[in-house]
Amino acid sequence: MKIDDYRLLVKIKNVGTIRGAAKALHLSQPAISQRVKQIEEHWGEKLFIRTTKKILITPAGEKIIEFGEELIERETKLLDEISKSTNEVTGRLSLGVSSVVGQYLLPEILEAYIEQYPQVNIELFTGLSQDIRHSINQYHVAIIRGEKIQDRQCHQLFSDKLYIIERKDVKKEKLLIEFQSDPSFHSVVDEWLTDHPNWRPTRKITVDQIETCKQLMLHGIGMAILPESAITDLDTSLYNIHPLISQETHLSRPTWISYSENATDLPQVKAFLNIVTRKN
């Protein structure tokens, strides 16, 4: 078996579904199912049991995935040790980045980084901050939203103010378009809506990505609550843009950059942190 096969098994374990693993790895569900079948044939054991909601791991699967996690950890440590032994900025840089940051801020940062350090092999995962927290040890650097990560170096990059937005020329029922986010974000939004009955929606629809949410709002489907970083390109003459104010405070969403102390010993990590600092 290749180490990528073990990475696949670990990803399925962490995400809990074939669909989620396929999305995270940018593969089709049939392709992942076929690879899992081949791995099971290799070991002669069933590794997963599918249910309607999630994947259950068999006892044999637990042992094989644990073995795979050990191999991945050993390879990662070896690669990092090799990187430390040279002053050149090469090697592997593993990033876990919130989808919002990945869509609106990361492209400019990575463009500058790749231009300066083309020899670095970048491994990038984008998704919900809560998913990145659950697998934090897999990344040299994490950029997440909401609460900071304990037991790691954490620095706030910025605080993203929140706004509720709707098109001025569309007068429909109060339909709120939501995007998937962490429970802490939805809790803040729900509390604000409860305290502001004039904005309280009669219906809600939920989409998976913030950009989908934004595009539906732009086409007059409904209103949306979006962070400031996602609305810098809006024509303010066409939209009602109302700040989320609570107790005289503009509600916001902090963004943190997080890494372990040992990670800064790696030239490629130190170089990435320097670029992020300059860009913010």
Side-chain angles (χ1 to χ4, degrees), residues 123-137:
E123 298 176 359
L124 174 62
F125 171 80
T126 60
L128 296 179
S129 293
Q130 62 183 6
D131 293 337
I132 295 170
R133 286 188 180 90
H134 292 158
S135 54
I136 189 64
N137 292 328

Side-chain angles (χ1 to χ4, degrees), residues 191-205:
E191 184 175 345
W192 187 87
L193 290 171
T194 299
D195 293 338
H196 295 79
N198 290 339
W199 287 97
R200 198 176 303 160
T202 55
R203 287 193 301 133
K204 293 182 182 181
I205 59 174

Side-chain angles (χ1 to χ4, degrees), residues 60-232:
E62 291 281 2
K63 293 180 180 180
I64 292 168
I65 292 173
E66 182 178 350
F67 174 71
E69 288 172 330
E70 292 174 358
L71 283 180
I72 294 167
E73 183 178 0
R74 287 172 60 188
E75 182 194 55
T76 299
K77 287 182 178 179
L78 178 59
L79 290 170
D80 288 347
E81 288 297 326
I82 293 171
S83 294
K84 289 179 186 178
S85 66
T86 176
N87 291 325
E88 295 182 13
V89 182
T90 59
R92 181 184 67 96
L93 176 65
S94 179
L95 305 173
V97 181
S98 157
S99 294
V100 176
V101 178
Q103 287 175 331
Y104 299 109
L105 301 174
L106 186 64
E108 182 181 355
I109 293 171
L110 281 186
E111 180 183 23
Y113 186 84
I114 292 171
E115 183 176 342
Q116 292 184 50
Y117 309 109
Q119 300 302 316
V120 176
N121 178 28
I122 296 173
E123 298 176 359
L124 174 62
F125 171 80
T126 60
L128 296 179
S129 293
Q130 62 183 6
D131 293 337
I132 295 170
R133 286 188 180 90
H134 292 158
S135 54
I136 189 64
N137 292 328
Q138 297 180 21
Y139 312 114
H140 290 128
V141 180
I143 304 179
I144 51 121
R145 314 260 289 173
E147 299 177 2
K148 65 194 301 186
I149 298 174
Q150 302 299 323
D151 303 323
R152 285 173 71 95
Q153 295 290 319
C154 264
H155 302 286
Q156 184 170 319
L157 291 179
F158 59 92
S159 189
D160 219 355
K161 294 178 180 178
L162 299 176
Y163 296 86
I164 189 165
I165 308 163
E166 62 180 358
R167 266 184 36 181
K168 291 181 178 180
D169 62 339
V170 177
K171 298 299 180 182
K172 296 181 179 179
E173 63 172 321
K174 290 290 185 182
L175 169 65
L176 179 66
I177 309 162
E178 293 185 312
F179 59 91
Q180 287 184 358
S181 187
D182 300 340
S184 59
F185 173 78
H186 292 298
S187 177
V188 167
V189 168
D190 290 342
E191 184 175 345
W192 187 87
L193 290 171
T194 299
D195 293 338
H196 295 79
N198 290 339
W199 287 97
R200 198 176 303 160
T202 55
R203 287 193 301 133
K204 293 182 182 181
I205 59 174
T206 302
V207 297
D208 61 343
Q209 296 288 333
I210 187 172
E211 186 61 25
T212 305
C213 173
K214 177 181 175 180
Q215 290 299 321
L216 292 177
M217 183 276 297
L218 293 178
H219 285 79
I221 306 301
M223 56 186 182
I225 293 177
L226 298 171
E228 187 172 18
S229 60
I231 62 172
T232 54

